[in-house]
Amino acid sequence: MHIKNLVTGYLTLLAHLEKESSTAPLYVFAETGVHRWGDLADVIDRELKQRKLISGDPVVDPKGSTDTETGTQSRATAELLREFGWKIQDAPSLAESLPEEIAYMQKTGAI
């Protein structure tokens, strides 16, 4: 989720909590769309290779791994935030923002 949407999500939640005297919900989810982790891994692989930060082929476990894939089919939606009036702002998707994020990490020495 882009920071623009996360900040407005927090502000919407806080404004709602200031107005309501009822008990606050235990969990409030925020989301702006759907992605598949495998697709994001492909984008990261391509971006890192273009910058010559990695080389070689991706390693795929033919059997999969339940140890690392637990919850990969889960889905959270921002129903409560939307009920509270939250509106998603136009912002790049996670996949679209990865090149900029990777460039920033490279520039700052994080990778």
Side-chain angles (χ1 to χ4, degrees), residues 1 32-41 72 74-75 93-95:
M1 172 180 296
T32 56
V34 176
H35 65 268
R36 289 178 12 124
W37 288 110
D39 295 340
L40 291 176
T72 58
S74 63
R75 173 126 196 248
S93 70
L94 182 54

Side-chain angles (χ1 to χ4, degrees), residues 5-22:
N5 286 306
L6 185 58
V7 168
T8 59
Y10 276 120
L11 293 174
T12 300
L13 177 59
L14 291 172
H16 174 78
L17 293 174
E18 284 180 331
K19 289 189 278 185
E20 293 295 318
S21 60
S22 61

Side-chain angles (χ1 to χ4, degrees), residues 33-100:
V34 176
H35 65 268
R36 289 178 12 124
W37 288 110
D39 295 340
L40 291 176
D42 292 341
V43 172
I44 292 169
D45 181 68
R46 184 178 62 247
E47 289 297 323
L48 293 177
K49 284 178 179 169
Q50 285 177 352
R51 289 170 168 69
K52 306 218 184 308
L53 295 170
I54 63 170
S55 61
D57 295 326
V59 176
V60 178
D61 183 349
K63 296 183 284 182
S65 173
T66 57
D67 293 337
T68 59
E69 294 177 4
T70 302
T72 58
Q73 298 299 318
S74 63
R75 173 126 196 248
T77 60
E79 292 172 19
L80 277 177
L81 274 180
R82 287 187 178 93
E83 285 178 25
F84 299 161
W86 181 56
K87 304 270 192 261
I88 296 173
Q89 298 182 25
D90 188 30
S93 70
L94 182 54
E96 293 167 338
S97 68
L98 281 172
E100 182 182 349

